[in-house]
Amino acid sequence: MTVQTERRARRTPLLRRCLAGGLAALISLPALLYICALLLAHEVLPYTLMEELVIACVFISAALAAVAACAGGGGKVMQTGLAAGAALASAIVVITLAAPGEGPLNAQTLRHVLAAITGGAFGGALSVRRAKPKSRAKRRR
């Protein structure tokens, strides 16, 4: 086996990594929303921060989903993180389409979609593995 074949063999498929990211979002988003609901119910946080807390929970959940999706190895972590955020955003749009209310495409839904996509991109950026810089002393020798 060549080195390139060995690297490809160690990578997990993109579908499996995105499934892991979706599972992480499915677990983390309700947990974060529950914690925020408890903080609002016990009046630790003012009720006026409710919408901002939901947006922050969606962002953090998408970032966690992207980190979970990128943890499987392989390259293209920014694209994988963005895909994990887009998957969460599409789930949000589908849920708002199914839920009765004022309509699926309003400003609130757009904020949540943008938070999910940027959170996924942020989680992908956190997963980038940078090469360690070589010390100058080693280069001189």
Side-chain angles (χ1 to χ4, degrees):
M1 282 180 127
T2 64
V3 174
Q4 186 176 11
T5 309
E6 288 177 9
R7 284 185 195 154
R8 287 183 185 165
R10 284 187 283 164
R11 294 180 185 168
T12 56
L14 181 63
L15 183 63
R16 187 178 297 168
R17 290 188 286 159
C18 286
L19 185 63
L23 217 59
L26 183 70
I27 293 169
S28 65
L29 184 59
L32 288 171
L33 289 173
Y34 181 72
I35 290 169
C36 289
L38 285 177
L39 291 174
L40 288 171
H42 292 297
E43 296 178 358
V44 175
L45 296 173
Y47 188 72
T48 56
L49 290 177
M50 184 180 67
E51 182 61 32
E52 287 82 6
L53 287 174
V54 172
I55 291 172
C57 288
V58 169
F59 181 86
I60 293 170
S61 177
L64 290 174
V67 168
C70 294
K76 300 183 180 180
V77 290
M78 286 297 294
Q79 290 89 344
T80 305
L82 195 60
L88 180 61
S90 64
I92 290 171
V93 169
V94 167
I95 289 170
T96 55
L97 282 171
E102 56 187 71
L105 299 176
N106 53 19
Q108 215 171 19
T109 304
L110 183 62
R111 286 185 199 117
H112 296 155
V113 166
L114 287 174
I117 291 173
T118 55
F122 180 72
L126 287 177
S127 299
V128 172
R129 293 186 184 123
R130 297 184 189 148
K132 294 182 181 177
K134 297 178 183 176
S135 67
R136 293 180 184 251
K138 288 182 182 178
R139 276 193 258 168
R140 289 182 188 167
R141 291 181 191 183

